[in-house]
């Protein structure tokens, strides 16, 4: 079905956008949309453009359902989430127009929240028209996802994981998303704000799920992640089993990291975290599960990574050689299968020494 024949172009002002966000008639569909990406300076730049009277790129909305009783039409944002979200946040008093982020820093709206603007400036914002392409509900969700991908594939601000989020809505990505909400990640600050905004936490967790399902020798490239998403999109019979194991291994890591500053510092680097996670799998599998054993492992790893972090070395020649090799493998070709396996083997050898 041709999407063009089912699209009408109309103008809607910011008052309409705000009202429809509040009423729930304008929504973000997380089945294909990425997480909210814009940071404050991006939002401020957009509001400044509106106050200066500059045009804003058009927005795509999809009428995906109508309440038969009330006639309320719900529209999903296909393209323009960042722009519409920014204007709604501003009129909702979520941020001010900080001077440092303005191109015209001496403008009389500098530093002001919406409620602090002059009346004519408020009226300008409320009455500012967006050009909106309305797609009617005869278009199916798969066609909408394809449209979103086509609109954004040439947009360099979309990373591979954000594109995957639009293309896949199956069992594997759902499990990765569920695991990303576990408090462990926040407790140890494994992901920074950029990771969270750009869905890089989902991508990294996906590589760990690949390890659980297929082993350390499996590729973790972008194309490999796509392949696994496709393979386990419709059916993922081992999902609960993999989730349970993932939770167990996070518990092991919690025992190892808790109270160890050097380990917590080093775990924020994805290369080391991946290695520590695979090591926790090894520890779990050999049933090294007493508190004393965990404490011994934690203490030895704390010493190892203290030397790594401070660029010092062990007196023991054998252990020193292992650390030198680990340093090299953590700096060059970190995603190579052989290097990932060797980093794990080095830590296993060190712990057994």
């Amino acid at each position: 079905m041709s999407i063009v024949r089912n699209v009408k172009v109309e103008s809607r002002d910011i008052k309409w956008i705000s009202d429809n966000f509040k009423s729930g008639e304008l929504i973000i569909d997380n089945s294909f949309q990425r997480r909210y990406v814009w940071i404050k300076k991006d939002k401020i730049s957009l509001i400044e453009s509106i106050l200066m009277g500059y045009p804003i790129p058009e927005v795509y909305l999809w009428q995906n359902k109508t309440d038969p009783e009330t006639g309320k039409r719900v529209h999903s944002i296909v393209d323009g989430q960042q722009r519409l979200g920014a204007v709604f946040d501003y009129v909702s008093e979520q941020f001010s127009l900080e001077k440092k982020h303005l191109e015209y820093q001496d403008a009389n709206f500098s530093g002001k929240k919406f409620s602090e603007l002059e009346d004519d400036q408020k009226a300008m914002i409320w009455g500012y028209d967006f050009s909106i392409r309305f797609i009617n509900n005869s278009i199916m969700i798969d066609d909408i996802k394809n449209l979103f991908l086509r609109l954004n594939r040439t947009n360099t601000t979309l990373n591979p994981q954000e594109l995957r989020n639009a293309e896949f809505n199956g069992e594997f990505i759902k499990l990765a998303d569920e695991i990303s909400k576990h408090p462990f990640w926040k407790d140890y600050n494994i992901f920074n704000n950029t990771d969270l905004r750009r869905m890089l936490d989902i991508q990294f967790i996906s590589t760990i799920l690949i390890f659980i399902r297929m082993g350390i020798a499996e590729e973790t490239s972008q194309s490999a992640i796509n392949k696994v998403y496709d393979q386990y999109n419709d059916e993922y019979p081992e999902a609960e089993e993999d989730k349970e194991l993932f939770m167990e291994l996070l518990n092991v890591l919690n025992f190892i990291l808790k109270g160890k500053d050097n380990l917590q510092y080093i775990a924020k680097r994805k290369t080391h975290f991946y290695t520590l996670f695979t090591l926790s799998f090894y520890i779990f599998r050999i049933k090294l599960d007493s508190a004393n054993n965990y404490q011994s492992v934690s203490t030895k790893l704390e010493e190892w990574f203290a030397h790594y972090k401070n660029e010092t070395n062990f007196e023991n020649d054998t252990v020193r050689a292992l650390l030198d090799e680990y340093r090299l493998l953590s700096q060059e070709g970190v995603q190579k299968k052989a290097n990932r396996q060797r980093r794990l083997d080095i830590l296993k050898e060190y712990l057994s020494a």
Side-chain angles (χ1 to χ4, degrees):
M1 180 180 292
S2 172
I3 291 182
V4 173
R5 296 194 187 99
N6 293 275
V7 173
K8 58 181 179 180
V9 183
E10 298 181 6
S11 294
R12 291 290 189 274
D13 59 27
I14 289 176
K15 180 64 166 63
W16 182 90
I17 292 167
S18 177
D19 288 346
N20 279 267
F21 261 122
K22 289 178 180 178
S23 68
E25 293 173 82
L26 185 58
I27 63 171
I28 296 167
D29 189 336
N30 291 321
S31 67
F32 61 89
Q33 280 282 8
R34 56 180 169 170
R35 291 176 178 169
Y36 197 60
V37 173
W38 276 11
I39 56 178
K40 188 181 291 183
K41 68 177 182 180
D42 300 318
K43 298 178 185 181
I44 290 172
S45 178
L46 181 81
I47 301 303
E48 181 181 25
S49 294
I50 290 172
L51 287 168
M52 299 299 295
Y54 296 153
I56 304 296
E58 65 184 6
V59 170
Y60 286 72
L61 302 182
W62 173 47
Q63 181 193 328
N64 60 6
K65 60 182 177 180
T66 301
D67 188 317
E69 301 298 327
T70 65
K72 179 189 289 187
R73 294 181 177 181
V74 176
H75 291 88
S76 294
I77 303 170
V78 177
D79 192 62
Q81 174 193 352
Q82 317 302 321
R83 281 158 275 160
L84 299 185
V87 297
F88 180 70
D89 285 351
Y90 186 63
V91 298
S92 300
E93 301 282 287
Q94 297 299 308
F95 64 93
S96 61
L97 302 177
E98 294 178 15
K99 181 176 181 179
K100 64 182 178 181
H101 296 313
L102 292 171
E103 182 177 353
Y104 298 96
Q105 297 186 346
D106 295 329
N108 64 353
F109 49 76
S110 178
K112 294 182 178 181
K113 287 189 172 183
F114 178 76
S115 61
E116 299 169 330
L117 295 176
E118 301 293 331
D119 287 347
D120 61 334
Q121 293 170 333
K122 292 178 186 177
M124 180 184 295
I125 289 178
W126 285 128
Y128 184 90
D129 281 327
F130 274 82
S131 177
I132 299 179
R133 290 184 177 266
F134 287 93
I135 308 168
N136 70 39
N137 59 3
S138 63
I139 303 300
M140 305 303 290
I141 182 63
D142 287 343
D143 293 318
I144 294 299
K145 289 182 178 181
N146 287 334
L147 174 60
F148 174 82
L149 288 168
R150 286 186 176 276
L151 288 169
N152 287 281
R153 280 201 186 278
T154 56
N155 184 341
T156 57
T157 63
L158 279 180
N159 64 33
Q161 186 60 36
E162 290 165 336
L163 289 171
R164 275 191 289 271
N165 189 60
E167 189 169 355
F168 298 99
N169 190 34
E171 299 305 311
F172 196 90
I173 192 172
K174 286 179 180 176
L175 180 55
D177 182 64
E178 180 182 351
I179 292 171
S180 75
K181 296 177 174 63
H182 193 285
F184 175 91
W185 311 108
K186 187 174 182 181
D187 289 345
Y188 292 104
N189 296 311
I190 303 301
F191 303 116
N192 59 37
N193 289 334
T194 299
D195 291 337
L196 297 175
R197 286 190 292 106
R198 302 308 305 271
M199 306 188 79
L200 298 179
D201 56 332
I202 305 291
Q203 177 173 291
F204 183 67
I205 289 169
S206 296
T207 67
I208 299 178
L209 277 171
I210 290 173
F211 158 71
I212 286 177
R213 179 91 319 262
M214 302 177 179
I216 199 169
E218 188 65 25
E219 291 284 356
T220 57
S221 63
Q222 298 295 343
S223 60
I225 298 174
N226 286 342
K227 181 180 177 181
V228 174
Y229 273 32
D230 186 57
Q231 181 178 348
Y232 292 103
N233 194 56
D234 296 327
E235 295 184 3
Y236 185 4
E238 305 90 352
E240 282 302 315
E241 175 188 343
D242 290 354
K243 175 186 172 182
E244 182 178 349
L245 178 56
F246 206 118
M247 297 301 107
E248 292 281 6
L249 298 182
L250 289 184
N251 286 335
V252 174
L253 275 175
N254 185 56
F255 271 109
I256 292 172
L257 296 176
K258 193 171 184 179
K260 303 294 185 182
D261 291 342
N262 284 317
L263 282 177
Q264 291 181 28
Y265 172 85
I266 213 75
K268 294 176 185 178
R269 284 188 56 186
K270 306 301 186 296
T271 297
H272 298 305
F273 186 91
Y274 185 93
T275 304
L276 288 172
F277 192 94
T278 57
L279 182 66
S280 72
F281 177 82
Y282 163 74
I283 292 170
F284 181 74
R285 280 293 189 238
I286 64 173
K287 301 190 183 306
L288 189 66
D289 55 2
S290 74
N292 288 336
N293 284 332
Y294 280 138
Q295 185 60 43
S296 174
V297 168
S298 180
T299 300
K300 291 198 72 172
L301 288 174
E302 172 84 345
E303 182 182 14
W304 174 274
F305 283 109
H307 283 298
Y308 181 96
K309 174 185 171 186
N310 298 321
E311 298 184 356
T312 56
N313 224 319
F314 290 91
E315 293 183 4
N316 182 289
D317 290 343
T318 301
V319 179
R320 182 167 62 248
L322 287 174
L323 181 58
D324 287 342
E325 185 182 0
Y326 185 92
R327 285 194 180 107
L328 180 62
L329 294 171
S330 300
Q331 295 164 3
E332 299 178 4
V334 295
Q335 295 302 324
K336 289 181 179 179
K337 292 183 288 186
N339 288 5
R340 284 185 281 125
Q341 181 66 60
R342 182 56 186 153
R343 288 199 306 271
L344 171 62
D345 290 341
I346 287 172
L347 289 186
K348 287 164 61 177
E349 187 175 344
Y350 165 67
L351 290 175
S352 62

